[in-house]
């Protein structure tokens, strides 16, 4: 599964400040062309159009061309009559720009892109009552800040995972219980600490500060005022001399831990699975401060030429068997308990564990209108996060 899969990179490039700072109260009424009008959710479904164009992370839409044994697209085509064409992307910024063209019907969007898509009018609200598989999706994935605006759902949850702490068991015979091993105590393993290469990693530092500097008043690591943001950036600049590498390609981190170049740092469960399968001496944990993570959403273009096939895809990919196949191949937890009937590794991914999920701060686009609900200050938007990240890395 994992060797054939190109894992995600979410090192988002500088986005338009205007797009990032739109008032979300107006997101549901702007169209993708920016010329006014209303984007409404579908009231009923009609005859499928015969084709659907999908923009997706690598590994999310497999038709057997990469591996004959990996194919959940062909059954969909036979079932619905909707021929699938797919384009993959490597970053959320690339996905955002492609979706704005209106050339795609469906997109799989991470939380650091979904709000931008809503704000730009590129995606339409989704009438979840038209999806027979929606009710079975874990409740803790629904109605969240990255997939719902003004009470309107803008998509269907796909899968989710945590950015866990990976450690070499020879170096750490006892599992670390805090992220301090990559921050304040990183100097103890100077040059062997690894971190995720993306501006969104600033949220990891903010999450750590929530627990260790409560006087900063951080309530959400994606909602940082200037003082809070400066503190997170300072922590990451102090971490920099201890970093072995910033990784975006999961295979590079696999090699880094196998070679001993890295002994501790941010990782994904799928990376631990690969290392365990190759006899690596690593383990993963979620420390007491919690973890950041992702929950991707299938969204429909506001300019879709095939809205009925688009709805058909959203319903199909959230069906237990298809969702199990897609999330297993990618290396994440499925979106429903029923999907676990088609997987034997749900326990490893903590699927359906609401208490585990509570410890995850899912990627959410930072915007000027603080997503933690504060109205007396302005928060730092993602454009500034991106600029700061380049300064941190040097």
């Amino acid at each position: 599964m994992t060797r054939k899969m190109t894992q995600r990179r979410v090192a988002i490039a500088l986005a338009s400040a205007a797009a990032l700072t739109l008032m979300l109260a107006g997101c549901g009424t702007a169209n993708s062309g920016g010329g006014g009008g209303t984007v409404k959710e579908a009231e009923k479904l009609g005859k499928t159009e015969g084709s659907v164009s999908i923009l997706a992370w690598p590994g999310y839409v497999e038709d057997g061309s990469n591996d004959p044994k990996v194919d959940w697209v062909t059954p969909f085509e036979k079932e619905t009559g909707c021929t699938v064409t797919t384009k993959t992307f490597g970053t959320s910024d690339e996905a955002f720009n492609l979706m704005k063209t209106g050339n795609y019907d469906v997109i799989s969007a991470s939380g650091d892109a979904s709000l931008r898509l809503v704000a730009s009018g590129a995606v339409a609200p989704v009438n979840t009552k038209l999806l027979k598989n929606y009710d079975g999706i874990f409740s803790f994935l629904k109605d969240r800040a990255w997939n719902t605006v003004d009470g309107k759902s803008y998509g269907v949850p796909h899968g989710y995972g945590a950015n866990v702490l990976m450690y070499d068991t020879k170096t750490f015979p006892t599992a670390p219980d805090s992220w301090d091993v990559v921050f304040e105590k990183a100097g103890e393993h100077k040059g062997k600490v690894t971190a995720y290469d993306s501006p969104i990693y600033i949220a990891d530092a903010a999450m750590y500060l929530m627990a260790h500097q409560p006087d900063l008043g951080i309530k959400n690591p994606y909602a940082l005022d200037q003082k809070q943001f400066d503190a997170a950036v300072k922590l990451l600049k102090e971490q920099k001399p201890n970093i072995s590498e910033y990784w975006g390609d999961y295979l590079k981190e696999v090699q880094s831990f196998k070679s001993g170049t890295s002994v501790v740092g941010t990782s994904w469960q799928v990376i631990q699975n690969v290392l365990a399968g190759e006899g690596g001496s690593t383990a993963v944990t979620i420390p007491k401060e919690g973890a950041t993570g992702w929950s991707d959403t299938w969204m429909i273009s506001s300019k879709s030429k095939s809205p009925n096939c688009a709805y058909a895809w959203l319903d199909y990919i959230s069906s237990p068997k298809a969702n199990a196949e897609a999330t297993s191949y990618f290396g994440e937890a499925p979106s429903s308990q029923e999907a676990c009937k088609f997987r034997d590794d749900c326990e490893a991914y903590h699927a359906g564990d609401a208490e585990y999920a509570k410890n995850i701060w899912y990627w959410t686009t930072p915007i000027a209108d603080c997503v933690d609900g504060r109205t007396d200050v302005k928060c730092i938007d993602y454009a500034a996060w991106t600029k700061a990240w380049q300064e941190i890395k040097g």
Side-chain angles (χ1 to χ4, degrees):
M1 132 179 131
T2 51
R3 287 292 183 186
K4 293 179 180 291
M5 177 183 64
T6 303
Q7 193 55 279
R8 74 178 62 202
R9 295 181 183 180
V10 196
I12 299 177
L14 182 63
S16 163
L20 289 173
T21 56
L22 282 173
M23 288 293 290
L24 289 182
C27 290
T29 58
N31 70 15
S32 56
T38 301
V39 177
K40 296 181 179 180
E41 64 182 30
E43 296 181 358
K44 61 180 180 179
L45 298 179
K47 183 179 180 180
T48 54
E49 299 84 0
S51 65
V52 63
S53 178
I54 302 176
L55 191 58
W57 288 108
Y60 269 21
V61 186
E62 293 295 315
D63 61 2
S65 57
N66 290 322
D67 184 341
K69 298 179 181 179
V70 181
D71 180 6
W72 51 88
V73 169
T74 300
F76 167 76
E77 293 177 324
K78 291 180 178 178
E79 178 182 319
T80 65
C82 300
T83 300
V84 173
T85 57
T86 310
K87 180 176 179 58
T88 59
F89 54 82
T91 69
S92 285
D93 189 58
E94 180 187 0
F96 174 69
N97 289 326
L98 287 169
M99 196 63 176
K100 284 201 304 177
T101 67
N103 294 331
Y104 305 92
D105 300 300
V106 175
I107 182 174
S108 64
S110 290
D112 48 5
S114 55
L115 289 186
R116 286 192 286 164
L117 289 167
V118 173
S120 70
V123 292
V126 172
N127 186 348
T128 58
K129 294 179 181 178
L130 300 177
L131 305 172
K132 63 180 183 292
N133 290 301
Y134 187 78
D135 287 346
I137 293 175
F138 294 129
S139 60
F140 56 80
L141 297 180
K142 300 176 181 177
D143 303 319
R144 303 303 298 268
W146 58 88
N147 58 33
T148 303
V149 176
D150 289 343
K152 290 185 178 182
S153 172
Y154 276 82
V156 175
H158 175 69
Y160 66 99
N163 298 312
V164 294
L165 176 65
M166 175 174 282
Y167 58 96
D168 177 72
T169 55
K170 295 178 181 178
T171 305
F172 297 90
T174 301
D177 67 351
S178 171
W179 286 103
D180 62 4
V181 292
V182 302
F183 290 122
E184 293 174 348
K185 295 182 179 179
E188 297 178 10
H189 304 283
K190 186 177 179 63
K192 293 191 174 184
V193 177
T194 186
Y196 188 49
D197 189 3
S198 170
I200 205 69
Y201 184 65
I202 294 173
D204 290 61
M207 180 191 67
Y208 179 77
L209 292 174
M210 284 173 62
H212 295 273
Q213 291 188 30
D215 56 304
L216 288 170
I218 300 174
K219 303 299 182 184
N220 183 313
Y222 305 103
L224 306 176
D225 60 34
Q226 192 65 60
K227 181 180 179 181
Q228 296 165 342
F229 184 74
D230 290 346
V233 170
K234 180 176 181 290
L235 182 61
L236 291 173
K237 287 182 176 179
E238 292 171 349
Q239 179 197 55
K240 174 66 167 59
N242 302 306
I243 294 292
S244 55
E245 67 174 355
Y246 294 101
W247 67 274
D249 182 333
Y250 85 112
L251 287 178
K252 287 185 178 180
E253 191 180 39
V254 168
Q255 185 56 42
S256 180
F257 272 87
K258 285 180 65 175
S259 66
T261 302
S262 298
V263 298
V264 67
T266 310
S267 190
W268 295 327
Q269 182 66 49
V270 65
I271 297 175
Q272 169 59 20
N273 293 351
V274 172
L275 283 164
E278 297 182 356
S281 59
T282 59
V284 295
T285 186
I286 288 188
K288 58 188 178 184
E289 298 91 354
T292 59
W294 71 89
S295 173
D296 291 345
T297 303
W298 288 104
M299 310 179 87
I300 297 178
S301 170
S302 56
K303 291 184 176 180
S304 175
K305 301 176 180 65
S306 302
N308 294 295
C309 279
Y311 266 85
W313 175 260
L314 262 62
D315 204 24
Y316 172 78
I317 199 62
S318 57
S319 64
K321 188 173 187 297
N323 186 257
E325 291 179 312
T327 54
S328 176
Y329 183 68
F330 191 82
E332 59 190 339
S335 64
S336 71
Q337 194 61 50
E338 286 297 305
C340 287
K341 294 180 179 179
F342 299 91
R343 289 179 60 169
D344 59 7
D345 60 351
C346 274
E347 185 175 353
Y349 287 94
H350 303 273
D353 187 338
E355 289 303 313
Y356 180 89
K358 285 181 181 179
N359 292 319
I360 303 175
W361 288 97
Y362 297 100
W363 284 336
T364 304
T365 308
I367 58 176
D369 297 315
C370 303
V371 296
D372 63 359
R374 284 181 293 169
T375 58
D376 58 333
V377 297
K378 286 294 183 181
C379 282
I380 308 303
D381 66 27
Y382 211 88
W385 283 49
T386 302
K387 181 180 179 181
W389 183 243
Q390 297 307 316
E391 294 174 355
I392 290 166
K393 291 175 61 179

